[in-house]
């Protein structure tokens, strides 16, 4: 029986990867691994994260590009740089960055 862990990070929080040079804002959280087996197998075994931890969906960016990333909790750190994020979807989903956390923009369907 697996134990349920509380997520250490929250939606809207700006984080950076522990090993790779990218950062982003969390827009969704899975309580445990919830991606494809092909995706999981593509991670080199020496850095492959455990499945039984929260995984975060990020609007991510590195020096070259913006993209969506799926990252295990063990590989994230809070980003306290206060540098703006240039990912084009950030203003669509979030507003008011305060203390490293964006407020989720409530979208209304028409």
């Amino acid at each position: 029986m697996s134990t349920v862990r509380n997520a250490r990070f929250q939606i809207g929080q700006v984080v950076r990867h522990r090993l790779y040079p990218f950062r982003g804002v969390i827009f969704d959280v899975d309580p445990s691994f919830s991606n494809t087996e092909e995706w999981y197998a593509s991670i080199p075994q020496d850095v492959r994260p455990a499945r039984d931890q929260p995984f975060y969906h990020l609007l991510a960016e590195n020096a070259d590009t913006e993209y969506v990333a799926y990252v295990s909790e063990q590989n994230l750190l809070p980003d306290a740089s206060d540098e703006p994020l240039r990912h084009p979807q950030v203003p669509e989903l979030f507003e008011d960055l305060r203390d490293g956390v964006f407020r989720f923009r409530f979208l209304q369907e028409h």
Side-chain angles (χ1 to χ4, degrees):
M1 184 170 144
S2 66
T3 56
V4 175
R5 290 184 33 200
N6 289 330
R8 187 171 26 175
F9 303 106
Q10 62 183 311
I11 290 176
Q13 189 169 357
V14 180
V15 292
R16 63 183 172 87
H17 197 279
R18 183 183 301 275
L19 303 173
Y20 301 111
F22 71 85
R23 59 195 289 265
V25 59
I26 297 167
F27 70 91
D28 198 9
V29 183
D30 293 334
S32 61
F33 179 78
S34 185
N35 206 330
T36 65
E37 287 305 311
E38 292 80 13
W39 183 91
Y40 192 76
S42 73
I43 302 169
Q45 196 162 0
D46 60 331
V47 295
R48 192 176 296 157
R51 295 170 187 258
D52 63 343
Q53 63 181 311
F55 276 73
Y56 299 84
H57 299 261
L58 308 180
L59 298 178
E61 59 190 51
N62 61 26
D64 303 316
T65 190
E66 300 83 35
Y67 53 98
V68 172
Y70 190 65
V71 185
S72 63
E73 185 169 272
Q74 75 185 55
N75 284 321
L76 289 177
L77 298 168
D79 181 278
S81 70
D82 281 336
E83 292 177 31
L85 289 163
R86 65 179 193 277
H87 194 292
Q89 288 179 278
V90 169
E92 294 173 24
L93 296 179
F94 298 103
E95 58 192 6
D96 299 337
L97 176 64
R98 287 200 185 115
D99 299 322
V101 179
F102 281 99
R103 193 162 56 97
F104 201 66
R105 185 183 295 277
F106 294 99
L107 302 176
Q108 290 187 326
E109 297 291 324
H110 295 283

